[in-house]
Amino acid sequence: MRRRVFRNFVTAVVFGFLVPASSQAQNASLLGKVDIDGSSTVYPISEAAASGFTKDFPNVKVNVGVSGTGGGFKRFTIGQTDISDASRPIKSTEFEAARESGIEFFEIPVAYDGLTLVVHKDNDFVDHLSVDEIRKIFTAEGSAKTWSEVRDGWPQKPIKIFAPGTDSGTFDYFKEVVADKEGSLRSDMSTSEDDNVLVTGVSGSPNAIGFFGVAYYEENQDKLKSVPIINPETNEPVSPDATTIENGTYAPFSRPLFIYVNARSFKRPEVRRFVAYYLQMAPKLAAQTGYVALPKTVYAEAMKHCRGGNTGTHYLTEDLKKRSGAVTELYKTTSTVN
């Protein structure tokens, strides 16, 4: 897998307040640990960051867990972790939980992802899907039992569905796009917070379909086929790749990924240096783990937030209503709510 590559490279520490790379003895004097939990989608990037960082700072232990975005926020908002991986912005309920616990945080976008729908590698009839057809498959209201119920001409074969668990930010994002606020996803799907379980399920079932972050598809192209999605504006089928995710034509399933950093933890030298390392390496880590780097201006703004103590979220209003839009438009110091 691509992320294993990172265990073998040595990085140069050149960003901001990091210790110079030549100061190996000084690096070894840095002690402590960094606890991360949350999104399985963000996991490959954080795990790669952890592997590279511990090459330079061998006496800092970085633990990266995978309990899903919701599961990660449950721990983060009561102060159990230093960093929470998230494949969606923080919700108002999670924000309020953090407030009640006195947890202030830095919200840091780290990459773009294209939520990817996949079928078995040998599936020769699913050439593309529209959002309406996806609703037929995945929502409680649609509940198509066979492929022939999705589109005329497709075989009368039963559909087996694999999806992230309800603690997953990918589940939340998909539900919001496909089922809207009032709708719900069907309850007879096979679910798991571990995307590798979903990969195994779809690759082992000829009539299956599933979804997860594009990185897991990139790692398993030999046994899965990605499904082009009809762009609602152009009516053209578009496949997820670096270009279509970055320019937004892979719609409506392109999205930013985040890490949330506990501001109190950030005062500890090992956390501060890890976050700086993460931000400096994020463009390379995103690309090499199958995701898409954000514009440089976003990473610069994120470091400005950390250095300036600018805590809070950009994805809620003052009265905690959801804000949405391009990350380059929302992620500005002036729009922070804390």
Side-chain angles (χ1 to χ4, degrees):
M1 297 192 309
R2 293 185 180 190
R3 59 176 179 266
R4 290 176 182 161
V5 172
F6 295 105
R7 296 191 177 109
N8 300 321
F9 71 64
V10 178
T11 56
V13 184
V14 294
F15 193 73
F17 42 74
L18 291 179
V19 177
S22 59
S23 303
Q24 295 299 319
Q26 192 173 356
N27 288 356
S29 70
L30 184 67
L31 307 174
K33 66 175 183 176
V34 181
D35 286 322
I36 306 172
D37 198 359
S39 166
S40 61
T41 303
V42 184
Y43 171 83
I45 310 174
S46 291
E47 201 266 349
S51 296
F53 182 77
T54 52
K55 293 281 186 182
D56 290 333
F57 299 94
N59 292 319
V60 177
K61 185 176 183 180
V62 183
N63 301 314
V64 187
V66 184
S67 63
T69 299
F73 274 132
K74 286 175 185 173
R75 298 189 63 205
F76 181 77
T77 54
I78 58 174
Q80 287 187 347
T81 56
D82 301 307
I83 296 173
S84 206
D85 288 344
S87 60
R88 57 160 173 77
I90 193 168
K91 294 179 179 178
S92 60
T93 52
E94 294 160 342
F95 184 83
E96 289 178 310
R99 267 185 175 172
E100 290 176 4
S101 301
I103 304 295
E104 295 182 302
F105 58 82
F106 299 112
E107 180 179 67
I108 301 176
V110 293
Y112 284 125
D113 177 36
L115 188 153
T116 302
L117 283 93
V118 296
V119 294
H120 192 277
K121 185 73 174 178
D122 296 334
N123 185 311
D124 59 0
F125 57 89
V126 179
D127 51 353
H128 63 267
L129 286 168
S130 67
V131 174
D132 284 341
E133 289 172 331
I134 295 169
R135 290 193 179 103
K136 290 181 184 178
I137 298 171
F138 286 95
T139 65
E141 294 75 16
S143 291
K145 300 295 184 187
T146 66
W147 285 106
S148 60
E149 294 177 59
V150 179
R151 189 185 299 177
D152 291 341
W154 280 1
Q156 194 170 1
K157 296 179 179 177
I159 306 173
K160 192 166 185 178
I161 304 173
F162 293 86
T166 55
D167 265 349
S168 165
T170 301
F171 178 95
D172 290 338
Y173 184 86
F174 185 83
K175 178 180 178 296
E176 182 175 324
V177 171
V178 174
D180 301 321
K181 289 184 179 179
E182 290 73 24
S184 59
L185 299 185
R186 57 196 297 172
S187 60
D188 58 346
M189 303 184 293
S190 297
T191 62
S192 175
E193 307 295 347
D194 185 343
D195 290 327
N196 290 306
V197 173
L198 305 180
V199 169
T200 300
V202 177
S203 63
S205 306
N207 296 314
I209 187 169
F211 64 91
F212 33 67
V214 68
Y216 287 86
Y217 165 67
E218 293 284 344
E219 288 184 353
N220 296 280
Q221 293 186 55
D222 58 327
K223 45 191 168 187
L224 298 172
K225 185 172 82 172
S226 71
V227 180
I229 304 301
I230 297 292
N231 181 308
E233 293 187 2
T234 66
N235 287 319
E236 294 292 330
V238 179
S239 295
D241 60 35
T243 300
T244 60
I245 292 170
E246 182 175 10
N247 65 23
T249 56
Y250 183 66
F253 292 121
S254 295
R255 57 178 178 164
L257 304 176
F258 304 87
I259 60 172
Y260 287 75
V261 181
N262 184 311
R264 187 175 301 164
S265 299
F266 189 75
K267 294 177 181 177
R268 302 197 326 252
E270 72 273 23
V271 175
R272 191 164 62 249
R273 289 182 180 176
F274 176 72
V275 171
Y277 174 87
Y278 202 134
L279 269 170
Q280 187 241 330
M281 297 300 293
K284 179 182 261 186
L285 299 180
Q288 295 194 29
T289 51
Y291 296 107
V292 178
L294 295 162
K296 292 180 180 177
T297 53
V298 175
Y299 296 117
E301 187 75 12
M303 182 47 72
K304 182 179 173 184
H305 283 13
C306 294
R307 285 173 168 161
N310 185 34
T311 58
T313 180
H314 305 73
Y315 289 85
L316 295 171
T317 63
E318 290 288 350
D319 55 357
L320 303 189
K321 302 295 184 185
K322 183 179 178 182
R323 298 182 70 218
S324 58
V327 63
T328 49
E329 295 175 3
L330 292 181
Y331 197 72
K332 299 181 185 301
T333 303
T334 52
S335 62
T336 306
V337 174
N338 53 29

